Amino acid sequence: FDRVSIQQWIDSGNRTCPITKLPLSENPSLIPNHALRSLISNFAHVSPKESSRPRTQQEHSQSQSQALISTLVSRSSSNASKLESLSRLVRLTKRDSLIRRKVTESGSVRAALDCVDSGNHVLQEKSLSLLLNLSLEDDNKVGLVADGVIRRIVAVLRVGSPDCKAIAATLLTSLAVVEVNKATIGSYPDAISALVSLLRVGNDRERKESATALYALCSFPDN
């Protein structure tokens, strides 16, 4: 989906999407996806050294993640224990797709959402960061919305700390990569107005992330 390849496809006379086979307009215009570019820029690329790490180290990370997941989902865990687990899971899921899938399948999303609801800004920040990492998987984007993440995001945009608000806006941008989510987010009460409010009164980071989220959402006509 890079611009050069798309341009070559169109210049060759093709007037359908190469993936969906749906028809394109007669003279299609190419619009840069600044929202996706901004989202990608928030994450470091995996270096060749990291991607070729020994299998034993990968297994160690997965074993470590299982223990962290158990602590996070346990009702008997203290906030301090959950915070430690969230912090380490954020580091592990930032670059490892296998661990992202494992965390999602373990039921940890519900535990992370509960931490967002806790009102503890430190727990909120780490849980939002974990949810953001999980949203990097396309298969997770619709599932997170179905699990009720939008309600939590909007609440954080209204009353969260500056860092939490910025991460919440970035999470909306990530979720809005999927077309159906743009409609769902746009129709949610206060979602767009909360972003507009952040654009007006937020700090530099908050305004940048809210503008990027609005850009992504407004590519859907009803928004």
Side-chain angles (χ1 to χ4, degrees), residues 100-148:
R100 286 198 290 267
R101 289 197 290 270
K102 183 174 182 179
V103 171
T104 304
E105 293 165 0
S106 70
S108 296
V109 169
R110 179 59 54 188
L113 291 174
D114 288 343
C115 289
V116 176
D117 283 337
S118 69
N120 182 316
H121 288 168
V122 181
L123 273 178
Q124 276 188 345
E125 181 180 348
K126 290 302 179 184
S127 53
L128 286 168
S129 296
L130 178 61
L131 293 168
L132 177 59
N133 287 354
L134 298 181
S135 75
L136 296 177
E137 299 296 316
D138 286 344
D139 291 345
N140 290 344
K141 294 182 190 295
V142 174
L144 286 169
V145 171
D147 283 334

